[in-house]
Amino acid sequence: MVLLRLLVLLFALVVSDLHSLPWFINVSESQGPGTVLQFFSFNCSSYTPTPTLELLNVQPPTTFFNPPSLARWQGTYVGKLTLSSSARLDALMVNHYKLWLKFTCGNYVTEGPLFVDVQRDLSHIQCAGQFASPAGEMIRVPETVRPGARLYILLLPGLELHGAQMSIISAQDPPHFPGPFSINEQGWLQAPSQGLLGQAQKVFQLQISVSFGQRQSCQGMVMVKVLPVSSSQVSFFEQAQNITIPENLAPGSEVVQVWARGVNLRYEILSPMPSPFFSIGHADGVVRTTAPLELARTPGTVVSRLQVKAFERHQPWDSAELNLTMNVRLVNLWPPRCLPALLVSQIPETAPVGTVLTTLTCEDPDSVGATLDYKLWFRSSSDPASLCLYDRVLEVNATLDCDTPGSCFQHAASILVLDGGQPQMTTEVPVLVMVTPVNEFSPACASRMFRVREDAAPHTLLGSVVGTDMDYPHDNIEYYTSGGPSTFAVDRLSGEVHLLGPLDYEQQRVYRLTVLLIDHGQDQNPNCHRSGSCTITIEVEDVNDHAPECEPPFQELTIYVPLGRSVEVTKVSCRIPQEPQRLAFSYSIVGGNSQNRFILQGAMLVHSDLVLGPFWPEQRNTYELLICVADAGPSIPHLSTTATIVVHPVFWKASREATSIHRTTVPSMMTPMLVTDTEAFWQPQPWFVVVLTATGALLLLVLGWLLGRLLQGLAHLLQAPSKLAQALLLNTIQGTKGSLEGFMEVPKMEISQAPSSIKSLQHFDGRAQDSRTGRDYLFNTCTGARRWL
C-alpha cells in the first residue's frame, strides 16, 4: 500500500499542475475518511516565503473535505486533498461537489476549481436504513386509503440496476389481515385490495425479502400503522407551477420553495423517484439542484416535471400534491470547439482552383447540433482572393502563382466560428497555408554567334550565354556544354564562354557549341530540375599566319636571248599550302638584278633587252635573282618569302649570208622554247644493283677507249666554229634583206664543206619551234646549226 501511494505521488508530480485547472476527478461513494482525492505539484522559488494552498469553499456546503496540506519534496511543493472524518459519501444524495482552491507563492496567486463526481459503488449495495434495522421501517397510512394504493416505496440504492426481486415472506392470514399486502419489483408497497377501512389503530408487520444477483439477498421489516382519519386537510396554494432556471446553476442551488396549508408539514418528491437532478427539503419545502444541468451533456433536463407531496408529519395520509415544471434555459457558457484547433496546410503552387485544403469540424458544447457561422479573416497582406471558405470547407480560390518575389509562399488567416447563443461566443481557428514552389518552366536561351581571331590566346572571353527561367528565384541556372569541341568552355554560373585551346582558321572556321541549361532551387523537391539548350556559333576570323611557299624555292635556268627582245624566263609558282584558297600574291625583285635586265610581270619573270645595234656585247652572264613573294589581300600582317632564281642568259644575234644556190627565210624574231625534262625516280632491287654495277664497270672501260679517240679529233673540230662565226657576222653586215637565206645557206655550205668526221660529231643542245610554220627543230648554240624535225 505504501508503494502504491508512492507511485500515485510520483504520478501526481509528473502530471499535476495548477495551470491545467479545472480538474475533474471521480471518487467512489465507498471511500471513507482519510482517502486521498488528489495530489498537486507546484514550483515556487526558494527565495520567496513559504507557499500556501487553501480550500476557499465547497458547493454544496459540506464538511466532507479536509483543508489541503502542502509539503516540500525534492525541490517541489506537493499538495494533498483528503476526505475528513465526517465524510459519508452518498451518490444518491449528492453526486457532484465543486471545490475552489487557491495557491499563493509570494506575490503569485492563482485560483481554480476542482470538480468531484461521486460514483455509485455497486459492490457495496445492501439493505440499509430503518428498513434493515431490528425495529423496521414504520409507516402510517389513513384508514381511508383506497384499495391497492401505493403506501410506501422501498428504496435500496443500486438494486434497481441489478433487477432486484422483492417479496413479502411474513404470514398475512385473516382475520388479523383484511387482505394481503403486495410489493412489486420497483419496491412499491400496495394496500390490500379490500382496503383498510375499520383497521384503525392496527399495526401490520411485513417481513420483506430482497434478492439480487447470484445468491445475494437481504431482508428487512416494514411496519404499517393504520391511523384514523382526522378533520384537518393539507392543501397547496396552487395546483401547478412553471419555473425557468438557467443551466449554469451549481449543484445545491435553490430553485424554488413550495408552501402548503397545514400543521407540522413535511414535503417529498413523489415523481420521478428517485429524482436525479432535484431534491426537496423535508421541513422547509426548498427545491434544490443535485447535479449540473448542462444541456449539452444531459439534453433531457431541458424540461423536468416534478410531483411534490405535502403531508402532516404524524398523519401522512393527510396530504396534497403539487405539479412543478422545471424549464432549464440554455446559457451560452462555452465557445464552439473545433477540430483541428490549428489548421496548417502545405500545397504546391500549381494546385488547381477548388482544391480542398481542409474541412473544419466544430460543435457548440452548449447546444449540440446547433448551426454555427464561419468567417474567413486574413492576417497577412497576401491576396485575400487566394483562399475561400465555403461553409466549413477551406478551398483554393485563385491561382497560387509564386513566380513573383513575395507574391505568396505563406497565407496566414483565421477562421472565426460564431455560435447563436446569448451572449454570442466566438472561437478563432488559426490558419497557416504554406505554398511550396513547383518547377514549372524550363530554362531557355537564345542562339548567339561569336567571332574570335584565330590567334586569340587561351582563356579569352568570347561572350556570355544569357539564360532565362520564369520560375522563382528567376534565372537560377547552371550552364554546361553538351558534347562539342573541348576548345571552348562555358562557366557554370555566369554562362561566359572562354577559349581553352588554339584555333586554326585553315583547319576549321566554324564551331557549333550546344549549351545545356539546368535550373535548381526552384522546387520543393531539391532533385527536381528542368533543362533547356541552345546552340552558339563561333566563327574563327582568319589571321595571316602562314607565309607563301614557292615551288621550287630555287631554280637555275639557261635562256637564249635575241637582240633587242624580251624573253619570258619563268613563272614564279607560289602558294600557301595551309590556305589553298589564297591566290593573291605580290612579286618584287629584291636582289641580283644588275643593270635592271629583269622585270616581273605578275608572277612571270621577263628578261628585257631593248638595246639594238652592232655594239651589243657578246658575253655570257649569270644572274642570281632574289624574288620576294608576299601575300596580298585584306588579311594582316602580310607575310613573304624569297625565291632564288639563277639565270644564265645566252645572247645571240640573227645572221645572213647570200648564196646563189638557196635562200631560206627565217623570222628575225625567234623565241626559244624551254624544254623541261622530268626524271622519274626509281629504286631498283639489290640484285639488280649488283648486275648494273658490273655492267657499268665494263661500260666505263669502253667509254674510256672512245674518249681517247674523240680527243684526237677535237683539234680539227675547233676550227669549224670560227668559220661559222665569220659567216654570221657577214650576214649581219649585209642587212636584213635576205638574211634568212644567208642564215640558212651558210650553215649548209659550212656543213657541206666540213669534213665528214665533224658532221658525225655535230651536237644539238636546244629545241625550238618556228613561229611561222610551226615546225619544230633542233639547234646548236655554239655553231647555230639546225635540224628540222
Side-chain angles (χ1 to χ4, degrees):
M1 190 65 181
V2 175
L3 180 60
L4 180 60
R5 288 183 176 271
L6 181 59
L7 291 176
V8 172
L9 178 60
L10 292 176
F11 178 75
L13 290 176
V14 175
V15 302
S16 298
D17 186 72
L18 199 59
H19 298 288
S20 62
L21 298 177
W23 295 302
F24 293 88
I25 62 173
N26 298 322
V27 59
S28 174
E29 63 180 354
S30 62
Q31 299 296 325
T35 301
V36 178
L37 299 180
Q38 182 72 7
F39 285 99
F40 311 92
S41 64
F42 308 99
N43 292 323
C44 187
S45 173
S46 60
Y47 300 103
T48 59
T50 303
T52 59
L53 179 62
E54 304 175 63
L55 176 60
L56 298 182
N57 59 69
V58 180
Q59 292 294 335
T62 182
T63 60
F64 291 171
F65 303 96
N66 287 323
S69 63
L70 187 64
R72 185 177 179 87
W73 187 75
Q74 293 187 356
T76 304
Y77 287 93
V78 178
K80 182 173 64 174
L81 180 65
T82 60
L83 292 177
S84 67
S85 59
S86 62
R88 299 293 184 269
L89 299 179
D90 189 347
L92 294 179
M93 295 299 294
V94 178
N95 60 5
H96 184 84
Y97 294 95
K98 178 181 179 182
L99 287 69
W100 196 263
L101 301 175
K102 176 181 178 182
F103 174 71
T104 304
C105 176
N107 295 328
Y108 176 75
V109 178
T110 182
E111 297 181 1
L114 173 64
F115 298 99
V116 179
D117 290 331
V118 181
Q119 305 292 326
R120 294 297 308 276
D121 187 356
L122 302 181
S123 63
H124 291 76
I125 297 176
Q126 58 185 355
C127 296
Q130 292 294 326
F131 170 74
S133 66
E137 180 79 16
M138 175 66 74
I139 63 174
R140 295 173 176 83
V141 297
E143 61 179 345
T144 57
V145 68
R146 65 181 181 271
R150 187 174 60 185
L151 305 178
Y152 173 75
I153 298 178
L154 179 59
L155 294 178
L156 297 176
L159 293 182
E160 67 276 3
L161 302 177
H162 291 263
Q165 301 293 328
M166 302 183 188
S167 62
I168 300 175
I169 61 176
S170 59
Q172 302 185 65
D173 299 332
H176 183 69
F177 283 85
F181 291 84
S182 63
I183 188 171
N184 60 13
E185 294 179 354
Q186 285 79 27
W188 292 358
L189 180 63
Q190 296 174 329
S193 59
Q194 295 82 1
L196 296 176
L197 286 175
Q199 304 296 325
Q201 304 300 330
K202 287 185 178 182
V203 176
F204 299 96
Q205 183 175 344
L206 304 175
Q207 190 76 22
I208 300 175
S209 176
V210 181
S211 300
F212 55 91
Q214 295 181 353
R215 299 180 181 179
Q216 296 185 20
S217 65
C218 64
Q219 295 180 2
M221 183 179 295
V222 176
M223 309 293 290
V224 181
K225 183 176 181 180
V226 181
L227 300 176
V229 177
S230 63
S231 60
S232 65
Q233 186 175 2
V234 178
S235 63
F236 285 97
F237 292 98
E238 52 186 347
Q239 295 299 317
Q241 290 186 20
N242 287 325
I243 301 172
T244 301
I245 59 175
E247 66 170 338
N248 59 344
L249 280 180
S253 299
E254 180 178 345
V255 177
V256 67
Q257 185 177 13
V258 295
W259 297 92
R261 299 184 185 94
V263 180
N264 199 12
L265 298 179
R266 294 292 182 266
Y267 301 91
E268 67 179 8
I269 297 176
L270 293 180
S271 176
M273 181 59 70
S275 178
F277 300 103
F278 300 96
S279 65
I280 191 170
H282 289 291
D284 57 6
V286 176
V287 179
R288 302 178 185 273
T289 60
T290 60
L293 301 177
E294 295 182 6
L295 296 180
R297 292 186 178 183
T298 55
T301 61
V302 62
V303 177
S304 298
R305 292 178 173 85
L306 303 179
Q307 189 176 14
V308 178
K309 175 183 176 183
F311 59 93
E312 289 189 9
R313 180 178 180 183
H314 300 292
Q315 298 181 6
W317 59 87
D318 189 4
S319 63
E321 296 179 358
L322 172 67
N323 293 323
L324 291 178
T325 301
M326 301 293 187
N327 298 303
V328 180
R329 175 172 51 83
L330 180 66
V331 178
N332 203 12
L333 300 175
W334 307 98
R337 296 176 182 175
C338 298
L339 289 177
L342 172 65
L343 295 180
V344 179
S345 181
Q346 179 174 291
I347 58 172
E349 63 172 321
T350 55
V353 176
T355 300
V356 176
L357 300 179
T358 187
T359 299
L360 193 63
T361 302
C362 299
E363 65 176 12
D364 189 356
D366 299 313
S367 178
V368 178
T371 302
L372 302 175
D373 293 332
Y374 300 85
K375 295 182 181 179
L376 183 61
W377 176 58
F378 281 88
R379 292 179 176 272
S380 63
S381 59
S382 58
D383 185 7
S386 301
L387 305 176
C388 63
L389 185 67
Y390 293 104
D391 193 13
R392 300 179 296 110
V393 180
L394 185 63
E395 297 180 357
V396 176
N397 190 48
T399 302
L400 302 174
D401 187 7
C402 295
D403 294 324
T404 302
S407 61
C408 58
F409 292 118
Q410 179 174 312
H411 295 274
S414 293
I415 298 178
L416 303 180
V417 185
L418 300 90
D419 61 13
Q422 293 296 330
Q424 189 178 55
M425 304 193 75
T426 304
T427 296
E428 180 179 350
V429 179
V431 177
L432 182 62
V433 179
M434 303 296 295
V435 182
T436 58
V438 176
N439 196 356
E440 302 177 78
F441 305 100
S442 298
C445 60
S447 299
R448 297 195 61 187
M449 177 181 291
F450 303 123
R451 289 182 174 85
V452 57
R453 291 169 55 92
E454 66 173 327
D455 61 348
H459 307 291
T460 299
L461 176 61
L462 307 184
S464 297
V465 179
V466 180
T468 58
D469 193 343
M470 297 173 59
D471 291 306
Y472 184 82
H474 298 299
D475 307 335
N476 202 14
I477 302 172
E478 292 183 353
Y479 302 84
Y480 301 92
T481 56
S482 177
S486 59
T487 311
F488 304 94
V490 178
D491 188 86
R492 182 175 63 89
L493 300 179
S494 65
E496 295 180 346
V497 181
H498 294 270
L499 175 66
L500 296 183
L503 299 174
D504 193 339
Y505 175 84
E506 289 72 26
Q507 293 184 3
Q508 187 170 353
R509 302 181 184 181
V510 178
Y511 294 87
R512 286 179 173 83
L513 190 64
T514 300
V515 179
L516 181 65
L517 287 73
I518 300 178
D519 57 15
H520 60 91
Q522 296 171 326
D523 194 278
Q524 180 73 8
N525 181 8
N527 297 321
C528 180
H529 304 283
R530 283 181 174 266
S531 62
S533 64
C534 61
T535 302
I536 60 174
T537 303
I538 302 174
E539 291 187 354
V540 181
E541 295 181 348
D542 188 20
V543 176
N544 194 11
D545 54 351
H546 297 287
E549 296 181 6
C550 296
E551 298 179 358
F554 176 82
Q555 298 184 58
E556 185 173 2
L557 304 173
T558 301
I559 63 171
Y560 302 94
V561 182
L563 179 64
R565 296 291 183 265
S566 296
V567 178
E568 293 181 354
V569 178
T570 184
K571 184 176 182 181
V572 182
S573 177
C574 297
R575 66 187 182 92
I576 301 177
Q578 297 82 358
E579 304 178 57
Q581 77 283 356
R582 186 174 297 177
L583 302 176
F585 302 100
S586 62
Y587 304 88
S588 60
I589 302 174
V590 296
N593 190 13
S594 61
Q595 301 177 358
N596 294 326
R597 294 208 177 257
F598 295 91
I599 61 174
L600 284 169
Q601 296 179 354
M604 182 63 70
L605 178 63
V606 179
H607 180 277
S608 178
D609 188 3
L610 301 179
V611 180
L612 300 176
F615 303 105
W616 183 62
E618 289 189 15
Q619 57 182 352
R620 181 171 180 166
N621 296 328
T622 298
Y623 295 90
E624 184 174 350
L625 302 177
L626 300 179
I627 299 177
C628 178
V629 181
D631 53 10
S635 299
I636 57 174
H638 296 292
L639 304 179
S640 63
T641 188
T642 302
T644 303
I645 301 178
V646 178
V647 182
H648 302 285
V650 177
F651 302 94
W652 59 281
K653 304 174 186 176
S655 60
R656 180 175 65 96
E657 182 175 349
T659 63
S660 59
I661 300 173
H662 183 72
R663 184 182 298 271
T664 302
T665 303
V666 179
S668 61
M669 181 63 182
M670 291 185 297
T671 303
M673 177 176 291
L674 179 63
V675 179
T676 303
D677 185 16
T678 303
E679 180 179 359
F681 174 74
W682 175 59
Q683 183 176 2
Q685 298 292 331
W687 64 269
F688 184 75
V689 175
V690 175
V691 174
L692 184 61
T693 302
T695 305
L698 294 176
L699 184 59
L700 287 176
L701 293 175
V702 175
L703 291 178
W705 178 77
L706 291 177
L707 183 60
R709 294 293 304 271
L710 290 174
L711 291 176
Q712 292 178 3
L714 184 60
H716 301 288
L717 186 60
L718 292 176
Q719 296 176 358
S722 176
K723 294 179 181 181
L724 287 176
Q726 292 176 3
L728 290 173
L729 181 59
L730 178 61
N731 187 29
T732 304
I733 296 174
Q734 289 177 355
T736 58
K737 184 178 181 181
S739 60
L740 181 59
E741 297 178 352
F743 183 79
M744 297 298 295
E745 291 174 356
V746 171
K748 291 181 178 179
M749 294 171 59
E750 296 296 335
I751 293 172
S752 64
Q753 295 174 2
S756 59
S757 59
I758 298 176
K759 289 181 179 182
S760 62
L761 298 174
Q762 189 67 262
H763 177 68
F764 298 96
D765 57 358
R767 180 172 178 171
Q769 186 181 50
D770 184 80
S771 61
R772 183 178 181 183
T773 62
R775 187 178 177 183
D776 295 333
Y777 61 90
L778 302 176
F779 62 90
N780 189 297
T781 57
C782 296
T783 63
R786 300 186 180 190
R787 176 181 291 178
W788 295 94
L789 299 177

